[in-house]
């Protein structure tokens, strides 16, 4: 069914709201992919034009050391409850990056990122845990402090946290139209982001499996995100594929060559050697079409010769091996008889009680008798 853009997005978004974000994550993603395929890329109704953030996406974790559970045993003394709070506190800046414009929040964010990078560098993933080739889907990570040691040893968890930090850095340093004016970074802060970004890429490269390949993919994705941000800043102009200048030049040259063609000549130049040779094989196209070599319809007796021999009483061929049992042979036989031997169809009308195969066999035997009679073979 054809639906309008507004009603289509409304139905899709309404269905997503009815689904559970933690249970139906994969299904919600498929709905969004379907909407992305149905509507054009330049469709504005599905865009976050004003760069608004989902402030309701709160990450709950234990902030009180009195109610804390005992973390799992680890060889590193740095993986403590304090680091647990530091690790999950960064999620608040992912939820609302604009609060970093406050100097106190910037300082806290800077210390938090530095601590995460330091722990991830010192507590390196050695690849001891088996890595599955199956894709993993996580709507939200569990935030229990008991899982902290396992989580920082998990490649997927490390990559999620570090890629989120890279995305935050790109927003802070990028040119976003609706970003608050007060969120302007000084040169020292820009320098810190550049150094920290290189450090994060280094940690990701050391994270198995295929760390270097994963880094290249992330760089490519973030580069494309910059282009999308620029497109939104320009008011989302219509996207259209620009014509290839080289192809346009070839088409112009082709038009010029056709216009300059000498129509008085018997030979035509089609600007392609193969087509030109094929076209000029015969100057007269009508004569070429009427050439006897182009007549592929066989003679009636030659076509049925093998079948006539099979139907002879002394041929010794069993009925199941007759050519008349083949559907394709029957179809070709009827087409040939319709074109060259129309009177034989009257024989079929006189024997309506017989099957098509039996009628065809009778006609073939009749053709054989007439051929022998005409050539004095009886």
């Amino acid at each position: 069914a054809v639906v309008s853009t507004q009603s289509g997005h409304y139905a899709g978004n309404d269905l997503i709201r009815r689904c559970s974000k933690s249970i139906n994550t994969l299904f919600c993603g498929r709905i969004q992919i379907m909407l992305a395929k149905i509507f054009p890329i330049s469709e504005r109704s599905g865009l976050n034009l004003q760069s608004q953030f989902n402030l309701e996406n709160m990450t709950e974790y234990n902030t009180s050391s009195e109610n804390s559970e005992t973390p799992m045993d680890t060889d590193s003394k740095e993986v403590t409850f304090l680091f647990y709070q530091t690790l999950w506190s960064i999620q608040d800046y992912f939820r609302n990056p604009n609060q970093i414009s406050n100097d106190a929040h910037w300082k806290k964010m800077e210390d938090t990122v530095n601590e995460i990078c330091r722990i991830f560098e010192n507590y390196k993933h050695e690849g001891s845990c088996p890595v599955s080739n199956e894709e993993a889907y996580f709507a939200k990570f569990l935030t229990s402090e008991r899982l902290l040691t396992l989580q920082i040893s998990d490649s997927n968890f490390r990559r999620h946290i570090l890629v989120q930090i890279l995305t935050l850095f790109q927003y802070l340093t990028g040119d976003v139209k609706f970003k608050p004016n007060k969120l302007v970074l000084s040169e020292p802060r820009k320098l810190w982001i550049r150094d920290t970004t290189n450090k994060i890429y280094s940690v990701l490269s050391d994270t198995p499996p295929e760390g270097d390949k994963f880094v290249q993919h992330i760089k490519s994705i973030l580069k494309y995100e910059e282009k999308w941000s620029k497109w939104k800043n320009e008011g989302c102009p219509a996207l259209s594929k620009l014509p290839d200048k080289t192809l346009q030049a070839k088409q112009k040259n082709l038009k010029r060559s056709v216009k300059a063609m000498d129509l008085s000549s018997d030979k035509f130049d089609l600007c392609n050697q193969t087509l030109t040779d094929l076209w000029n094989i015969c100057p007269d196209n009508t004569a070429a079409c009427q050439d006897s070599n182009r007549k592929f319809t066989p003679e009636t007796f030659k076509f049925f010769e093998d079948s006539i021999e099979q139907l002879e009483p002394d041929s010794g061929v069993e009925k199941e091996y007759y050519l008349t049992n083949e559907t394709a042979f029957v179809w070709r036989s009827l087409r040939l008889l319709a074109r060259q031997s129309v009177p034989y169809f009257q024989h079929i009308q006189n024997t309506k009680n017989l099957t098509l195969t039996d009628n065809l066999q009778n006609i073939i035997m009749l053709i054989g008798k007439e051929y022998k009679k005409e050539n004095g073979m009886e």
Side-chain angles (χ1 to χ4, degrees), residues 37-137:
K37 290 183 176 180
I38 292 177
F39 300 101
I41 299 178
S42 55
E43 172 59 42
R44 296 166 59 94
S45 61
L47 300 177
N48 182 12
L49 296 175
Q50 297 183 357
S51 301
Q52 297 178 347
F53 297 95
N54 183 13
L55 302 180
E56 297 179 358
N57 184 23
M58 302 290 295
T59 300
E60 299 180 358
Y61 62 97
N62 191 1
T63 58
S64 176
S65 58
E66 297 178 357
N67 301 326
S68 65
E69 302 174 2
T70 304
M72 297 183 65
D73 295 336
T74 176
D75 297 335
S76 176
K77 297 180 180 180
E78 298 174 333
V79 183
T80 61
F81 181 76
L82 181 60
F83 175 70
Y84 161 81
Q85 292 180 315
T86 302
L87 178 65
W88 290 111
S89 64
I90 192 67
Q91 294 292 326
D92 191 55
Y93 297 111
F94 299 154
R95 178 184 64 90
N96 184 17
N98 293 333
Q99 61 182 319
I100 301 177
S101 58
N102 182 281
D103 291 339
H105 282 291
W106 172 270
K107 178 61 177 175
K108 182 179 179 181
M109 185 274 298
E110 184 177 345
D111 294 340
T112 300
V113 172
N114 288 334
E115 182 67 9
I116 292 174
C117 292
R118 187 182 68 83
I119 295 297
F120 280 9
E121 281 182 321
N122 296 336
Y123 199 86
K124 289 189 176 182
H125 184 282
E126 302 296 340
S128 57
C129 297
V131 180
S132 174
N133 292 327
E134 297 181 358
E135 296 183 3
Y137 299 95

Side-chain angles (χ1 to χ4, degrees), residues 254 257-258 261 267-280:
L254 178 61
S257 61
V258 172
M261 184 186 299
K267 186 175 182 180
F268 290 91
D269 185 6
L270 302 180
C271 303
N272 182 285
Q273 188 61 39
T274 304
L275 292 177
T276 300
D277 294 341
L278 182 62
W279 186 268
N280 293 282

